[in-house]
Amino acid sequence: MSLPKLIVILGPTACGKSGLGVTLAKKYGGEIVSADSRQVYRGLDLGTGKITAEEMEGIPHHLLDVVDPGEQFSVARFQPMAYEAIDGILGRGRVPFLVGGTGLYVRAVAEGYVFHAAPPDPALRSELESLPIEALRERLTSAGVELDEDCYHNRPRLVRLLEKHLSGEDPHAEAERQPRYEVLTLGVGYPRETVCRRIDDRLIARLEAGMIEEVASLRKNGVSDAFLEGLGLEYRYILRYLTGTLPDEAALVDELGRAIKRFAKRQVSWFKKDQEVHWLDMEGDPVEEASRLINGFLCR
């Protein structure tokens, strides 16, 4: 029995995933499911590069703004929500597009990861949660546990990986898979120097649009500094600017820009592990190239 079809668009930050997703969804009568671990939070807009209502061009988007800042959210929670959204799109006779840069979220849905909820040790969990995020990373890396881009700044995942390691489990054990969809995966990207330029341009535009004020407002409305720090990148560095760790906006732009570029490099490394990605020429005609692949995929 054939599986229902899902189109995935992935790639590093600042490479045009959202715009391409909208263009293709309009062309094929589709709807979009976001696969971004930070865009699930309400009020995290400029800092996450969340698509605006105007940019959506009337295309329905799912799994944006589904939880409040400060609430714990994980891939195990994301997956069933994504399944429900995708199955709803299919049920309406439309084409589902899973679009995002959080590799673990994408793979959990596209490959059908099976999550087994082994109960954590409360005493160990309490001990690990008291550690700074740098200490969690250091303990894992010193034990030879490789950290991918999705967990490097993700405190709950770091804690869970360390729990697994300390309990004798293999943190890198291959997840059991039960695929629910036939998947076509399209990758977007640019040469490294182009990505860096796009990151710089987008960072300046988002700061001018009020990204610092967004973080200040989140703090004013009760979002903890620990939560913002744990989000990494924009929220971490703007928090440091607001609390005086970074002396001025020039230092913020410099350090944050370099951090985003390192993050984009880790994203590329993560996605390049997947041999099933059709990488589009974003400097050519990616819509025509993607359409050719989608036409063949939907007709078979």
Side-chain angles (χ1 to χ4, degrees):
M1 185 174 178
S2 62
L3 297 173
K5 293 180 178 178
L6 171 67
I7 298 167
V8 171
I9 301 175
L10 54 73
T13 188
C15 286
K17 296 182 293 294
S18 298
L20 180 64
V22 167
T23 298
L24 293 174
K26 288 178 68 177
K27 182 172 183 177
Y28 289 96
E31 299 181 23
I32 291 173
V33 178
S34 170
D36 188 294
S37 62
R38 301 191 305 171
Q39 292 185 7
V40 297
Y41 290 105
R42 301 180 185 95
L44 273 64
D45 301 326
L46 289 168
T48 65
K50 191 180 296 175
I51 189 169
T52 66
E54 181 180 6
E55 291 166 341
M56 291 178 187
E57 298 185 30
I59 297 298
H61 282 63
H62 306 269
L63 297 193
L64 298 172
D65 302 322
V66 294
V67 293
D68 290 325
E71 188 174 340
Q72 292 296 335
F73 196 84
S74 69
V75 64
R77 188 172 171 192
F78 169 83
Q79 186 197 54
M81 296 172 72
Y83 284 161
E84 181 179 6
I86 291 166
D87 293 345
I89 295 167
L90 291 164
R92 291 187 287 277
R94 297 175 66 80
V95 178
F97 288 80
L98 182 68
V99 180
T102 302
L104 185 64
Y105 281 29
V106 170
R107 284 187 175 177
V109 173
E111 299 181 23
Y113 283 11
V114 177
F115 294 100
H116 299 288
D121 178 336
L124 178 60
R125 169 66 63 89
S126 177
E127 175 191 346
L128 296 179
E129 287 184 340
S130 70
L131 297 175
I133 194 168
E134 294 82 1
L136 293 170
R137 286 198 293 257
E138 183 178 350
R139 289 184 65 172
L140 285 163
T141 54
S142 65
V145 178
E146 184 181 351
L147 303 179
D148 62 52
E149 56 93 7
D150 289 313
C151 72
Y152 194 78
H153 296 298
N154 188 323
R155 171 181 285 278
R157 283 207 64 214
L158 292 170
V159 169
R160 188 65 186 130
L161 283 173
L162 197 47
E163 280 181 320
K164 286 184 176 183
H165 170 69
L166 294 174
S167 65
E169 294 182 54
D170 180 3
H172 291 312
E174 280 290 306
E176 181 184 343
R177 290 164 170 79
Q178 292 180 3
R180 292 172 56 129
Y181 311 107
E182 182 182 355
V183 177
L184 170 68
T185 304
L186 306 175
V188 304
Y190 290 91
R192 175 69 178 168
E193 59 274 14
T194 304
V195 173
C196 291
R197 184 177 68 250
R198 289 173 65 91
I199 287 171
D200 287 336
D201 292 344
R202 191 174 76 160
L203 175 56
I204 295 302
R206 288 156 79 186
L207 287 168
E208 290 177 349
M211 188 162 59
I212 292 173
E213 290 77 9
E214 175 176 287
V215 179
S217 177
L218 288 166
R219 297 180 78 213
K220 182 178 179 180
N221 290 322
V223 177
S224 73
D225 287 356
F227 176 76
L228 294 169
E229 178 77 18
L231 290 170
L233 297 178
E234 295 84 356
Y235 295 95
R236 167 174 294 177
Y237 285 88
I238 291 174
L239 173 66
R240 292 177 179 178
Y241 167 73
L242 292 172
T243 56
T245 304
L246 292 175
D248 51 41
E249 194 165 327
L252 168 63
V253 170
D254 178 58
E255 294 206 20
L256 176 53
R258 287 191 282 118
I260 297 172
K261 290 165 191 171
R262 291 193 298 268
F263 172 70
K265 186 175 182 180
R266 291 197 300 271
Q267 283 182 301
V268 170
S269 298
W270 170 266
F271 292 131
K272 289 293 186 182
K273 295 176 185 177
D274 190 341
Q275 300 303 310
E276 301 301 318
V277 177
H278 298 271
W279 290 98
L280 304 174
D281 180 6
M282 297 299 288
E283 296 182 312
D285 189 344
V287 174
E288 191 280 331
E289 186 181 357
S291 298
R292 188 170 62 250
L293 292 164
I294 292 171
N295 291 340
F297 174 67
L298 294 179
C299 290
R300 69 179 185 230

